[in-house]
Amino acid sequence: MEISTLAMYHCLAFVWYFFVAYSITHVKTEERPSEVFLYGGQWKYLTVLNLVLQAVFYGVSFLADVLRLIKKLRCAKCIISSRDLLFSVLAFPVSTFVCISFWTLYSYNRELVYPKSLDGVIPFWLNHAMHTAVLPFALLEILVLPHRYPAKKKGLILLGFVAFLYISWVLWIYSVTGEWVYPLFALFSPPGLAAFFASSLAIIVAFYNFGEFLNRMIWGQSKFS
């Protein structure tokens, strides 16, 4: 794909994610079910954090495209490295995890992840923008542009560290409020919750490996030399 076309695509994707993140963080306070939006506001939900992550990623991608267009290749090389690291370690696996885990649990029992009371607060289109569209965007990014993945050990350490930070944030919120971020967590004993977190980490690692597989299957090795 031409650099100018890539720049336009990345710019539009950045604007889209910025708009969606803005929309969800500006839900009117008086309309929020009090049992859902407690300590930490929307910033305790992986879905919302992922929207910010995607906006940052596409912003960095657009910057890399612009630097290539204006022939600032030395600066572009550094930004491209950051872009590829961000996509491989976080943007792709987190988007895939958010979409698949949300709709799997929603199909089983929506009250565990997205209580029916939210239907009157969050519009239908915004729910799908947060939980559905993120996966097609991630797959499209692999299709339009090759990304250099880090060494497997480095990538998994970074991914594990970010997962540890989020789990720590979830546990901290519970220690302060006595309420779980997701009602699902209340169903588990402490060992069961630890096993759930471990299995979730294993799933997101699998999505990381899947993204790397797709990237190499589509683009091969030649694009990275």
Side-chain angles (χ1 to χ4, degrees):
M1 184 179 290
E2 293 291 332
I3 298 176
S4 58
T5 306
L6 273 176
M8 183 178 298
Y9 163 67
H10 285 143
C11 180
L12 290 174
F14 167 74
V15 171
W16 166 252
Y17 273 114
F18 184 87
F19 169 71
V20 174
Y22 177 87
S23 298
I24 191 61
T25 56
H26 283 75
V27 173
K28 293 182 179 180
T29 304
E30 63 269 18
E31 296 179 354
R32 297 174 182 173
S34 59
E35 73 275 11
V36 175
F37 293 94
L38 294 169
Y39 181 86
Q42 295 101 325
W43 304 111
K44 61 175 175 277
Y45 297 109
L46 184 60
T47 295
V48 178
L49 295 175
N50 180 55
L51 294 175
V52 176
L53 167 65
Q54 300 305 317
V56 170
F57 165 70
Y58 283 105
V60 171
S61 298
F62 176 61
L63 177 59
D65 297 335
V66 170
L67 290 173
R68 291 173 67 193
L69 281 171
I70 63 176
K71 308 301 183 182
K72 298 290 186 179
L73 299 183
R74 181 174 298 180
C75 295
K77 185 176 181 180
C78 179
I79 299 300
I80 288 171
S81 295
S82 300
R83 177 202 69 191
D84 289 347
L85 186 66
L86 193 57
F87 178 77
S88 61
V89 174
L90 294 177
F92 182 85
V94 174
S95 285
T96 308
F97 181 81
V98 164
C99 179
I100 293 179
S101 63
F102 175 82
W103 289 113
T104 298
L105 292 170
Y106 186 98
S107 299
Y108 173 70
N109 182 356
R110 65 169 298 177
E111 294 298 318
L112 298 177
V113 290
Y114 194 83
K116 194 173 181 61
S117 57
L118 286 178
D119 287 345
V121 179
I122 299 176
F124 178 80
W125 72 266
L126 187 53
N127 179 23
H128 282 283
M130 295 187 297
H131 297 117
T132 308
V134 292
L135 181 54
F137 266 104
L139 293 172
L140 182 59
E141 179 65 21
I142 286 184
L143 290 173
V144 301
L145 189 67
H147 296 83
R148 185 186 295 273
Y149 272 66
K152 182 63 66 73
K153 182 178 179 181
K154 178 183 177 181
L156 293 181
I157 287 175
L158 289 174
L159 178 59
F161 177 70
V162 173
F164 171 77
L165 289 179
Y166 180 69
I167 291 172
S168 298
W169 174 228
V170 167
L171 294 176
W172 171 258
I173 291 171
Y174 178 75
S175 71
V176 171
T177 67
E179 298 283 344
W180 286 111
V181 169
Y182 298 102
L184 170 69
F185 295 163
L187 301 179
F188 296 103
S189 64
L193 190 61
F196 177 81
F197 285 146
S199 61
S200 296
L201 179 58
I203 291 171
I204 203 169
V205 166
F207 290 147
Y208 170 92
N209 289 326
F210 179 62
E212 184 176 30
F213 167 75
L214 285 179
N215 192 64
R216 293 189 181 278
M217 182 180 70
I218 294 168
W219 297 103
Q221 298 289 340
S222 60
K223 292 287 186 179
F224 305 98
S225 59

